[in-house]
Amino acid sequence: MDAIAQSTRTARAVLAAHAIDKAYRRGAWPVRRVVPVLSGVSFSLQAGEIVGLVGENGSGKSTLMKILVGALAPDAGEVERVARLGYCPQVPQLYERLTCDEHFELFGHAYGIDARQERDARRALYESLGFGRYAGTRVGQLSGGTVAKLNLGLALLADPDVLLLDEPYAGFDWDTYLRFWNLVAERRATGRSVLIISHFVADEERFDRILDLRDGRVVPR
Ligand SMILES: Nc1ncnc2c1ncn2[C@@H]1O[C@H](COP(=O)(O)OP(=O)(O)O)[C@@H](O)[C@H]1O
Ligand SMILES: [Mg+2]
């Protein structure tokens, strides 16, 4: 591990990024271009912390999120995943023809949690997010707001130590927004961490820290 990596490593970090670089290659020869998106991103998330990561549209937030969860490889640098992650992608990865219940079952299998634990967690999530009446409804028939609840519920199903959310407010109505912050506060109280990535933050006081993603780097606000 190099000097940069050492400087961002801390005792209680549950997730850390060390000097991450990422560029996309665009176009075809002879007009192929390399567009740098992340250049030397380093930061860490501590246990029990609610952190907001804010950047303009196109600044590389979703790219960074995908690298943090391991869905995309960085060109350089490394991600240290100390605890279990739950990921709520910006574009929900759901199946139109499956119901909410079927999604929970499917994701429960994928996470490797037993059927009983999955059913208990599912019931609690329907209750806390308020969408149990759509348990048997296919995703193709749900409103955008309910899809957003399901997307969040699936990320929370296995009770991850670290919850990563990419633009979570987009599909939320006001009621869901408040329920969402209640859930976040509960997680924080039990030492779990939440990283919220967004192009804006409304209620700054709800966060422990806010970081800015600017010119390919993460800097404290
Ligand atoms: N797969 C891709 N191939 C090429 N360019 C991409 C790809 N994904 C994202 N980009 C570009 O990288 C930049 C950052 O995108 P993204 O990480 O989605 O930003 P944000 O989430 O902050 O809006 C944008 O300019 C976007 O067009
Ligand atoms: Mg994005």
Side-chain angles (χ1 to χ4, degrees):
M1 188 165 289
D2 62 17
I4 301 166
Q6 286 293 352
S7 68
T8 48
R9 186 196 271 282
T10 45
R12 287 172 60 252
V14 286
L15 176 68
H18 304 289
I20 303 289
D21 290 349
K22 182 71 187 177
Y24 288 112
R25 277 138 202 92
R26 272 197 216 146
W29 189 87
V31 285
R32 217 169 138 84
R33 288 186 301 140
V34 174
V35 183
V37 177
L38 305 174
S39 24
V41 166
S42 296
F43 74 96
S44 63
L45 188 63
Q46 314 298 307
E49 238 190 349
I50 309 302
V51 173
L53 182 70
V54 184
E56 289 173 10
N57 286 323
S59 59
K61 302 182 298 298
S62 293
T63 299
L64 176 58
M65 185 69 108
K66 288 175 199 160
I67 291 172
L68 291 175
V69 299
L72 188 67
D75 297 334
E78 66 173 73
V79 177
E80 209 181 330
R81 299 178 194 92
V82 180
R84 282 180 316 124
L85 306 184
Y87 170 43
C88 204
Q90 179 168 8
V91 180
Q93 311 285 308
L94 305 173
Y95 303 90
E96 296 274 300
R97 305 192 51 185
L98 297 186
T99 65
C100 293
D101 272 346
E102 287 164 346
H103 276 86
F104 280 116
E105 279 166 30
L106 183 69
F107 278 66
H109 277 295
Y111 291 134
I113 55 179
D114 70 56
R116 198 221 193 103
Q117 193 189 343
E118 183 274 309
R119 272 198 305 275
D120 291 347
R122 189 199 316 182
R123 202 172 306 127
L125 287 162
Y126 279 146
E127 173 73 30
S128 54
L129 289 166
F131 70 116
R133 64 186 170 283
Y134 300 111
T137 306
R138 288 182 181 187
V139 161
Q141 254 110 55
L142 296 175
S143 69
T146 309
V147 168
K149 291 179 185 187
L150 178 60
N151 192 32
L152 177 60
L154 292 169
L156 284 166
L157 183 62
D159 191 20
D161 303 303
V162 182
L163 180 63
L164 302 166
L165 306 163
D166 193 350
E167 302 281 0
Y169 322 127
F172 287 0
D173 53 28
W174 182 245
D175 170 64
T176 308
Y177 183 74
L178 297 178
R179 287 173 185 268
F180 165 74
W181 279 112
N182 283 338
L183 274 175
V184 169
E186 277 171 24
R187 304 194 74 68
R188 182 174 187 265
T190 54
R192 291 178 179 76
S193 312
V194 182
L195 179 67
I196 296 170
I197 294 194
S198 181
H199 63 286
F200 75 102
V201 282
D203 302 320
E204 288 204 21
E205 72 285 356
R206 295 188 189 265
F207 295 86
D208 294 308
R209 264 190 307 146
I210 294 182
L211 305 170
D212 284 309
L213 178 56
R214 208 185 300 138
D215 303 325
R217 293 176 165 272
V218 168
V219 291
R221 180 170 282 191

